[in-house]
Amino acid sequence: LRTVTGVQTCALPIFAGAAGEARAQAADSKMFASVEFGAQSTQRTVTSSTSFSVYDETATVTTFQPVHNGPVFGGSVGYKLNPTFGVSAGVTMFTARTADATVAASIPDLLIYNRPKNVVATATGLSHTQLGIHIDAVWFHSLTSKLELALAAGPSIINVNHDVATASVTTGTQNVTTGTRGESGSAFGFNAGGEANYRLSEKALFGIFARYVMAKTDLDSVTDLKVGGVQAGLGLRLRF
């Protein structure tokens, strides 16, 4: 019995030392990374107008194109300056659901001056994507040994690829044929958000996130195109 007791007594400092070493390793973790998947819920309608000469008069075309919600995924890497503050760089990819645009045109008459015909048509299958780069300052706060909060904010650069509805007039008529044209641009703005994570192990956490991204840019056919919006979802966080 004394022999068994001696083994247990010797083992306790060993286990305590191992636990302390694990906590020290967690505290010494400077690098962190994340992988996220969620959705961007913000939806908006983009309006653009153009005009051109037809039959020695001016035809006008106005398009109304919805930018739907859709999935967003991304990842980031960062470095802790101290246990509370850090910096990170992340990338997100948002793909809106395919949209149909309404095209409203006013087309002059071939023979009678100042007698335009109002035409309404639809352009289908328009796409919209946003690739975002985000540089953030991050604040960490542990609620318990298992729960952690993080808040982040910083500038964003978003590359936008946006399909625009087009319309052409069939020669000798007042009918229009719709089509699409891809345009792109870069938007500068900011992002801010937070996350709540549950610690799965010393190095891994799983949780939820929410952020707001706001930026705008000018395209060839669209001025002040707003991009970004409310994003939320799930994420896996790693410390190493």
Side-chain angles (χ1 to χ4, degrees), residues 104-107 116-120 174:
S106 176
I107 309 301
K117 177 183 178 181
N118 294 323
V119 180
V120 177
Q174 290 177 291

Side-chain angles (χ1 to χ4, degrees), residues 181-197:
R181 179 181 66 249
E183 298 183 358
S184 62
S186 295
F188 297 87
F190 75 94
N191 75 92
E195 58 188 57
N197 296 309

Side-chain angles (χ1 to χ4, degrees), residues 2 9 11 32 47-48 51 62 71 74 81 98 116 122 137 140 153 164 167 187 198 203 207 221 225:
R2 284 194 297 271
T9 303
F32 58 93
T47 303
S48 62
S51 61
T62 302
L81 303 174
T98 302
T122 302
F140 300 93
V164 176
Y198 179 80
K203 300 295 186 180
S221 302
L225 174 65

Side-chain angles (χ1 to χ4, degrees), residues 46-64:
V46 178
T47 303
S48 62
S49 298
T50 187
S51 61
F52 49 91
S53 179
V54 177
Y55 314 136
D56 295 326
E57 292 188 71
T58 300
T60 61
V61 177
T62 302
T63 64
F64 305 90

Side-chain angles (χ1 to χ4, degrees), residues 1 57 73 84 86 176 186 189 191 194:
L1 292 175
E57 292 188 71
F73 64 91
T84 305
V176 298
S186 295
N191 75 92

Side-chain angles (χ1 to χ4, degrees), residues 35 177 194:
V35 178
T177 301

